[in-house]
Amino acid sequence: VESSVYPRLEAQGNLLHFQVPWEATDLRGDSRIIEIQSPDSHFVLRSRLFIEEKSSPKLFVDPRTRAITATNEDFSAFINEANPARPGDLIHFWATGLGPLDRPVPTGAKGPSDPPAKPLEPAACYIFGKDGIPAPRGLEIPTQIYAPNFVGLYQFDVIIPEDWPPGTANIFCKGPADFGSGGSIHIAARQN
């Protein structure tokens, strides 16, 4: 693991997401110096990488707006202000950081789809309104899997509560660690 090349998941602006190898269990709760280099550059960035001892989801959010990267049920459109979720909708969003799976998937391999792999330590997700009104409420999560055909991503399928009011809501997910992550989502009035 010391000289491994970690599979890149996403590079956006000054953020780089990559998969820490599954085999790196000896690194939990530890840190290592890593080097980041582009194949077409002579420059090398050295940084300290801290590996959490317990798994915790890191939701994919827009770094500027803190909006969760989420889609509607049929994956046909991203949820945003122009295309909000509605109470009762099932939505999908993605995270990293949930750790080991219920079966072996090699580092850098795409998630299997039939059947999908599941995290051994699933997370809980909550929805709450601005300034805590409405109060936090647990979300129903029918599916929590290692995202099929993606590397290092977990997929959450959650249902927005039927009686949730319109506006901007916050979703927060937490695993076994004492911390988690979240972001905002736009919700429209329920259609009758």
Side-chain angles (χ1 to χ4, degrees):
V1 175
E2 288 298 323
S3 62
S4 297
V5 175
Y6 297 169
R8 187 179 94 172
L9 304 178
E10 178 187 42
Q12 184 181 57
N14 62 353
L15 295 175
L16 173 66
H17 298 271
F18 57 90
Q19 182 184 18
V20 175
W22 301 110
E23 303 82 23
T25 55
D26 60 322
L27 296 180
R28 282 188 165 213
D30 201 354
S31 68
R32 292 287 189 273
I33 299 293
I34 61 166
E35 293 182 351
I36 301 169
Q37 181 177 14
S38 172
D40 56 349
S41 174
H42 297 288
F43 295 100
V44 176
L45 171 66
R46 287 183 181 82
S47 185
R48 183 165 294 277
L49 172 68
F50 294 93
I51 310 295
E52 296 163 3
E53 193 160 331
K54 295 180 181 177
S55 58
S56 179
K58 312 288 179 304
L59 276 58
F60 275 81
V61 298
D62 182 311
R64 293 168 289 123
T65 65
R66 301 299 303 156
I68 294 173
T69 301
T71 67
N72 58 6
E73 185 170 1
D74 67 2
F75 296 98
S76 64
F78 285 103
I79 294 172
N80 54 39
E81 202 166 359
N83 182 46
R86 296 192 183 279
D89 281 0
L90 183 138
I91 65 168
H92 313 281
F93 58 86
W94 296 269
T96 62
L98 280 180
L101 304 169
D102 62 355
R103 66 175 179 270
V105 175
T107 296
K110 292 181 178 181
S113 60
D114 192 17
K118 297 179 181 176
L120 291 175
E121 298 176 330
C125 295
Y126 305 88
I127 188 169
F128 55 97
K130 186 178 178 181
D131 300 324
I133 300 170
R137 190 182 317 174
L139 285 170
E140 182 181 343
I141 307 174
T143 308
Q144 193 172 138
I145 57 176
Y146 189 65
N149 300 312
F150 287 94
V151 176
L153 294 180
Y154 300 83
Q155 178 181 317
F156 289 79
D157 298 349
V158 303
I159 298 174
I160 305 297
E162 293 272 350
D163 60 347
W164 200 261
T168 301
N170 295 295
I171 292 178
F172 180 83
C173 297
K174 180 184 175 314
D178 293 334
F179 50 88
S181 74
S184 63
I185 189 165
H186 295 283
I187 299 178
R190 182 171 184 206
Q191 290 181 325
N192 291 327

